[in-house]
Amino acid sequence: MKPRIFVSSTYYDLKHVRERLEHFIDNYGFESVLFESDKVTYEFDKPIDISAYNEVKLCHVMILIVGGRYGSSATNGSLKDDIKKYEQDYISVTRKEFETALEKNIPLFIFIEKNVLSEYRTFKENQDFFENMKDYENKNDKKSAEFKFAHVDSVNVFKFIDLLITKPIKSFEKIEQIENYLQSQFAGLFYLYLDGLQKQKEVLKVLNSVEELNNVTLRMNTMLTSVGEKILGKDNQEYEEVIEEQFTIISDFFVNNSMIFLLQK
C-alpha cells in the first residue's frame, strides 16, 4: 500500500510544475494522482470534475499549487458567459478540489507563486477600489477602464487566496523550493508516525498495568467483603462503613490512574 498524493492546480500555466511534482512524488515511493496521467477514475454518468472530487476523497495528502490563472467553473457553479472578467464570482475546479480535501480533513501543502502572492497583497490594500468598480461604472453610465494585473487573470484568484491565507502556505519562484519544502514535511510526517508508535507502546504498557492492578483490587475487595461478613456480620453498621471506605479507596485509585493514562497519551 502506498500513500496517495493528489496534485491540484490549474493545468496549462503550471504544467511544468505538475510534471516535476509527479516524478518527485513517485521517486519517494508514493502514488501521485494527476488527471493528465490517467490517475483519476472517471465515472461515465457524471461530469468530469465530479470524478476528480471523488478521487480527492480517496487520497491521503493534497499538494495545492496556486498560480495566476483561476481556472474553469466547477459543475453547478454560477459562471455565465456574459459576466465581465473582473465581476464574475464562481467556484473553480481547483477551488472545489481544495474544499473537498478540507471537508475530508486531508492534510494540505499549499504553494502560491511569489508574484501572485505579491499582487494579492496589493489587491488587499486596494480592495475597496476593485469592489466598487461596478458601482462607479453604473453611476457614470459608461464603461470604466478595466484594471489588469500583471500576473493574475481574475480577482477570483485573490478571493481563493483569502480562503487559504489562514493556513500554512509557502510562496515559490522555482520548483526546487517546493521539492525542498516537501522533503522536510514528509520527513516530519514520518517522524510523527514513528513517535506515535512509541507512545502507543507506552500507553499499552500503562493500560496493561492498570488492568493487572484492577484484577488484584477486585480479588482483594472480594476477600475483604467475605472476611468482613464473617467477622462483623453482614448487617453490622461497622461492616457497612468498612465497605464504603474500601469503595472510596478503589474509586480514588482509578481516578488517579486515569489521569496518568491521559498524561501518557
Side-chain angles (χ1 to χ4, degrees):
M1 297 178 64
K2 297 181 179 180
R4 306 184 77 236
I5 301 180
F6 193 97
V7 178
S8 177
S9 74
T10 50
Y11 177 67
Y12 290 106
D13 59 325
L14 294 169
K15 182 179 178 181
H16 66 291
V17 177
R18 295 173 65 87
E19 289 176 350
R20 280 282 296 269
L21 280 177
E22 181 177 15
H23 292 301
F24 174 82
I25 293 167
D26 292 342
N27 287 338
Y28 250 91
F30 303 153
E31 181 182 352
S32 58
V33 181
L34 299 88
F35 78 89
E36 65 266 31
S37 299
D38 299 325
K39 295 292 184 68
V40 175
T41 302
Y42 292 108
E43 302 166 66
F44 71 93
D45 57 341
K46 296 179 181 179
I48 292 176
D49 59 322
I50 298 298
S51 297
Y53 312 143
N54 289 336
E55 197 70 39
V56 169
K57 297 174 184 177
L58 301 177
C59 293
H60 304 95
V61 174
M62 172 180 282
I63 298 174
L64 174 63
I65 315 294
V66 178
R69 297 186 63 180
Y70 185 55
S72 57
S73 174
T75 300
N76 299 325
S78 60
L79 178 63
K80 296 180 180 178
D81 294 336
D82 59 348
I83 298 179
K84 295 175 185 176
K85 187 175 183 181
Y86 288 100
E87 293 172 3
Q88 55 186 262
D89 186 6
Y90 66 97
I91 296 176
S92 69
V93 172
T94 303
R95 175 172 164 179
K96 186 65 176 178
E97 289 172 348
F98 159 74
E99 291 176 349
T100 302
L102 208 60
E103 290 170 3
K104 297 296 291 183
N105 200 31
I106 294 172
L108 284 153
F109 296 111
I110 303 171
F111 301 91
I112 302 177
E113 282 189 336
K114 185 176 181 179
N115 289 332
V116 173
L117 195 57
S118 295
E119 286 198 328
Y120 167 76
R121 296 189 180 106
T122 300
F123 171 79
K124 295 302 290 184
E125 288 292 329
N126 301 277
Q127 189 165 356
D128 288 342
F129 167 77
F130 296 109
E131 289 179 348
N132 293 328
M133 281 180 68
K134 189 177 190 308
D135 292 337
Y136 177 82
E137 174 187 335
N138 292 338
K139 289 177 182 179
N140 288 271
D141 195 29
K142 61 181 180 179
K143 184 177 181 180
S144 60
E146 185 180 82
F147 191 96
K148 293 184 178 180
F149 290 94
H151 302 285
V152 172
D153 71 350
S154 168
V155 292
N156 281 310
V157 173
F158 302 139
K159 294 176 183 178
F160 184 22
I161 295 176
D162 275 338
L163 300 177
L164 307 176
I165 206 68
T166 57
K167 302 187 177 301
I169 60 172
K170 291 288 292 183
S171 64
F172 73 96
E173 292 180 285
K174 299 179 180 179
I175 180 62
E176 288 80 7
Q177 293 172 303
I178 296 178
E179 292 175 338
N180 291 337
Y181 181 78
L182 288 175
Q183 282 180 335
S184 174
Q185 292 299 309
F186 288 165
L189 288 174
F190 189 49
Y191 170 83
L192 291 175
Y193 170 73
L194 294 177
D195 188 55
L197 288 180
Q198 292 180 340
K199 289 181 178 178
Q200 188 178 39
K201 187 176 181 180
E202 293 301 317
V203 169
L204 186 60
K205 288 181 180 179
V206 172
L207 286 174
N208 289 337
S209 298
V210 170
E211 181 64 24
E212 184 177 346
L213 289 170
N214 179 38
N215 292 332
V216 171
T217 303
L218 289 175
R219 289 196 296 269
M220 289 177 62
N221 186 50
T222 301
M223 180 186 68
L224 287 171
T225 300
S226 177
V227 172
E229 287 181 1
K230 291 180 179 178
I231 296 175
L232 302 174
K234 190 173 182 179
D235 298 327
N236 189 288
Q237 179 65 31
E238 188 178 355
Y239 167 77
E240 294 294 335
E241 292 175 356
V242 170
I243 294 301
E244 184 176 350
E245 184 179 353
Q246 178 68 12
F247 178 77
T248 301
I249 292 172
I250 294 173
S251 298
D252 291 342
F253 167 79
F254 282 109
V255 168
N256 292 333
N257 278 278
S258 295
M259 291 299 296
I260 293 173
F261 169 72
L262 290 172
L263 290 172
Q264 288 283 343
K265 190 174 182 180

